[in-house]
Amino acid sequence: MKILISADMEGATGVTWPADVLPGTPQWERCRGMFTSDVNAAVQGFFDGGADEVLVNEAHWTMRNLLLEQLDERTEMLTGRHKALSMVEGVQHGDIDGIAFIGYHAGAGMEGVLAHTYLANQITGVWLNDVRASEGLLNAHVVAEYGVPVVLVTGDDVACEDALGYAPEALKVAVKDHVSRYAAVCRTPARTAADIRAAAKEAARLAVRHAPVEAGPFTVAVEFDAEHLAMAATVVPGVARVGERKVAYTSATMYEGIRTFKAVTTIVSSAVEEQYG
Ligand SMILES: [Zn+2]
């Protein structure tokens, strides 16, 4: 049994503020330890549950956040940027039996600690076939095309609730309870590690590959907080404006759908204005 862990940081233990997840800040340095603790607990839990291999894919920002030197020596970690499937890179080779979303968070425009979808504030909403979409929901559709079930999700309580929609069977661990975008009632890393390890051990039972799901076509709509960002996004082939601050595109598969989404967010992030006013 081989497990893939997609590790994002906004939903990690103790994280509640942009500086906590911004590489180079003192707070990020501190929070990397708690993020690593969450991921390591999942790694250990999956091995407890009978996994033969666990691959960790870094999925946050520069994708250079986890402390490799603190991970269980049985695991391997894929670190760094530019990967065909981004947050779920590694799922496409036919050898993954289950995936865990560790440190996930609510989607753009939703309530939830540091809720966003790819970009911090510039995207105010994403819809997949008219359903409000988080990164978890988008990635769940990508991995389904490879027949891989989502078996474990960790994050704040809102992220866990969100996961009920895209991975009802998966085990969920809320490492903190949402109070506002920048506030949460947090539990200590020792406590969340114990919870995550126990859940991962149980989740290993759910790691059974199924037939690839062909659920396309997928129409993805993206709403921005400024008109010119919608305009900028339309340089990506297939992306059309459908409202003053909204664009949409249709892809036959989520493999193409997530790649186009990545192209849109990359173009748009280069068009964001400096703050003034
Ligand atoms: Zn992130």
Side-chain angles (χ1 to χ4, degrees), residues 7-10 21 59-61 87 103 105 116 118 135:
D8 200 2
M9 194 170 183
E10 288 85 357
V21 296
H60 172 71
W61 193 230
M87 296 181 75
H105 49 80
H116 71 286
Y118 274 61
E135 290 168 14

Side-chain angles (χ1 to χ4, degrees), residues 122 225-229 268-277:
Q122 294 78 23
D225 69 352
E227 173 277 330
H228 74 281
L229 299 182
V268 164
S269 63
S270 70
V272 175
E273 287 181 2
E274 295 298 313
Q275 287 194 14
Y276 64 85

Side-chain angles (χ1 to χ4, degrees), residues 59-198:
H60 172 71
W61 193 230
T62 55
M63 300 182 172
R64 298 180 178 281
N65 307 277
L66 290 167
L67 299 164
L68 178 64
E69 57 275 33
Q70 289 181 16
L71 289 180
D72 187 293
E73 64 184 16
R74 292 169 291 180
T75 196
E76 290 184 320
M77 185 173 87
L78 174 50
T79 193
R81 251 185 182 168
H82 303 311
K83 300 175 284 196
L85 285 178
S86 190
M87 296 181 75
V88 293
E89 175 68 20
V91 79
Q92 66 267 50
H93 307 301
D95 61 347
I96 301 296
D97 299 295
I99 186 166
F101 294 166
I102 302 297
Y104 270 48
H105 49 80
M110 299 175 183
E111 281 192 320
V113 177
L114 298 175
H116 71 286
T117 305
Y118 274 61
L119 303 182
N121 273 317
Q122 294 78 23
I123 292 177
T124 53
V126 177
W127 291 263
L128 179 67
N129 290 345
D130 292 325
V131 174
R132 198 85 192 242
S134 61
E135 290 168 14
L137 184 140
L138 295 173
N139 288 331
H141 279 82
V142 175
V143 302
E145 290 182 347
Y146 297 95
V148 175
V150 180
V151 299
L152 173 66
V153 180
T154 74
D156 69 358
D157 56 333
V158 183
C160 291
E161 204 172 306
D162 178 52
L164 283 173
Y166 64 78
E169 308 289 316
L171 277 284
K172 284 106 184 160
V173 178
V175 300
K176 56 198 172 192
D177 295 330
H178 163 261
V179 173
S180 75
R181 182 171 181 80
Y182 304 130
V185 177
C186 297
R187 289 174 271 287
T188 66
R191 189 165 150 198
T192 58
D195 291 348
I196 293 169
R197 184 168 183 166

Side-chain angles (χ1 to χ4, degrees), residues 1-5 39-56 72-76 95-100 151-152 197 199-209:
M1 181 203 309
K2 183 171 180 179
I3 302 289
L4 179 64
I5 292 177
V39 169
N40 202 41
V43 168
Q44 292 175 323
F46 283 121
F47 280 119
D48 292 345
D52 302 299
E53 288 178 76
V54 180
L55 174 66
V56 177
D72 187 293
E73 64 184 16
R74 292 169 291 180
T75 196
E76 290 184 320
D95 61 347
I96 301 296
D97 299 295
I99 186 166
V151 299
L152 173 66
R197 184 168 183 166
K201 182 180 178 184
E202 205 181 326
R205 284 187 300 108
L206 304 173
V208 180
R209 226 176 306 155

Side-chain angles (χ1 to χ4, degrees), residues 223-273:
E223 185 187 71
F224 303 98
D225 69 352
E227 173 277 330
H228 74 281
L229 299 182
M231 185 70 205
T234 60
V235 304
V236 179
V239 176
R241 200 155 171 157
V242 295
E244 196 170 39
R245 291 180 291 105
K246 201 169 185 180
V247 299
Y249 62 90
T250 299
S251 302
T253 64
M254 264 317 279
Y255 171 78
E256 289 301 336
I258 202 75
R259 290 160 66 85
T260 302
F261 189 73
K262 183 83 183 151
V264 165
T265 56
T266 302
I267 294 285
V268 164
S269 63
S270 70
V272 175
E273 287 181 2

